[in-house]
């Protein structure tokens, strides 16, 4: 792992109370960002929120928005999320026909560019485009639903991605999403991830701020 890597905790509002979303955002004000899952019931078998809600969240959130697009036709829709003023937009490479073009467009519109891979999608075909990205999201569950268990089968992919990033000299963070708990965050961090999406581990806790701090401490310890 790169020296002085900082552990970031991005709670997912997929586990929040959508009726009281502004209050739920305030409960995670100590997080590094809020992870906003956008699902269209096409790319994944679930339906969540769209652009108008994301725009409103961006206006009231106490922390930056980390938007994860699990949608079809992402080349068409992703730039609008960058225009909404969010900190980062992550698209699934499986849904993009032109990932390099899309990553460049997101950056040109003022957002950081993230690219996500499903658990079974290999990272190797995309290593040549690392310089086009700010973040690589390696899904540690099948995308679509919260509350799933961490897939250890993804750990070797995280390690290979980290080795390739360090070998290339690219400045790309590795994010993991799915099944992150006080126990699994250590394994994921040791493999090379530094940004962790946690849903139920934060919002299912009596004190979300305390849960965030505990996860951050465990992850940072593993990062060294």
């Amino acid at each position: 792992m790169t020296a002085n890597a900082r552990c970031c905790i991005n709670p997912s509002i997929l586990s929040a109370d959508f009726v009281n979303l502004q209050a739920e955002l305030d409960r995670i004000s100590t997080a590094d960002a809020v992870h906003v899952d956008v699902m269209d019931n096409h790319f994944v078998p679930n339906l969540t929120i769209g652009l108008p809600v994301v725009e409103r969240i961006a206006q009231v959130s106490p922390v930056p928005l980390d938007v994860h697009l699990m949608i079809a036709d992402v080349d068409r829709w992703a730039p609008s999320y960058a225009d909404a003023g969010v900190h980062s937009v992550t698209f699934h490479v499986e849904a993009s026909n032109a990932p390099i073009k899309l990553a460049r467009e997101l950056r040109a519109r003022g957002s950081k560019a993230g690219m996500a891979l499903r658990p079974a999608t290999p990272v190797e075909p995309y290593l040549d485009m690392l310089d086009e990205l700010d973040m690589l999201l390696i899904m540690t569950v099948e995308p679509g639903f919260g509350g799933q268990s961490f897939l250890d089968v993804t750990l070797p992919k995280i390690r290979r991605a980290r080795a390739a990033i360090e070998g290339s000299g690219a400045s790309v963070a590795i994010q993991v999403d799915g099944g992150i708990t006080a126990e699994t965050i250590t394994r994921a961090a040791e493999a090379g991830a530094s940004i962790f999406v946690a849903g139920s581990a934060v919002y299912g806790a009596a004190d979300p701020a305390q849960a965030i701090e505990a996860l951050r401490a465990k992850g940072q310890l593993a990062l060294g």
Side-chain angles (χ1 to χ4, degrees):
M1 190 65 210
T2 51
N4 303 315
R6 178 172 168 268
C7 175
C8 296
I9 306 298
N10 296 8
S12 169
I13 59 168
L14 198 59
S15 298
D17 178 1
F18 274 56
V19 174
N20 301 293
L21 204 45
Q22 185 168 358
E24 293 285 74
L25 290 166
D26 290 339
R27 294 174 76 203
I28 60 163
S29 61
T30 58
D32 297 279
V34 56
H35 191 79
V36 181
D37 290 304
V38 176
M39 308 183 196
D40 65 355
N41 205 32
H42 291 283
F43 181 72
V44 292
N46 196 3
L47 184 66
T48 55
I49 60 176
L51 183 59
V53 177
V54 172
E55 289 174 335
R56 184 67 181 123
I57 292 172
Q59 293 170 354
V60 302
S61 176
V63 293
L65 268 61
D66 164 29
V67 175
H68 178 193
L69 300 178
M70 288 171 271
I71 61 175
D73 202 8
V74 73
D75 298 305
R76 175 185 178 188
W77 294 111
S80 296
Y81 287 87
D83 289 342
V86 305
H87 177 71
S88 66
V89 176
T90 298
F91 62 90
H92 269 267
V93 71
E94 302 93 347
S96 175
N97 292 318
I100 293 175
K101 179 177 181 290
L102 179 54
R104 289 180 176 179
E105 186 162 6
L106 293 173
R107 283 175 158 182
R109 296 188 184 213
S111 170
K112 290 188 178 295
M115 188 175 75
L117 306 177
R118 288 177 179 265
T121 301
V123 69
E124 284 75 15
Y126 308 105
L127 295 180
D128 286 344
M129 63 174 289
L130 287 174
D131 282 332
E132 308 290 343
L133 302 171
D134 299 291
M135 185 171 71
L136 183 67
L137 167 54
I138 296 178
M139 293 298 299
T140 44
V141 298
E142 288 295 341
F145 294 92
Q148 300 183 63
S149 297
F150 184 90
L151 294 174
D152 283 284
V153 70
T154 61
L155 290 170
K157 181 161 68 171
I158 298 169
R159 294 189 191 98
R160 294 195 303 273
R162 170 51 55 196
I165 289 167
E166 293 184 355
S168 71
S171 181
V172 181
I174 295 178
Q175 182 181 75
V176 288
D177 180 0
I180 297 299
T181 65
E183 190 267 326
T184 60
I185 193 171
T186 297
R187 299 205 297 278
E190 288 174 345
S194 62
I195 305 176
F196 305 90
V197 177
S200 53
V202 171
Y203 276 114
D207 185 341
Q210 189 176 62
I212 289 167
E213 186 52 42
L215 285 168
R216 188 182 282 130
K218 281 231 172 190
Q220 194 62 60
L221 184 64
L223 288 172

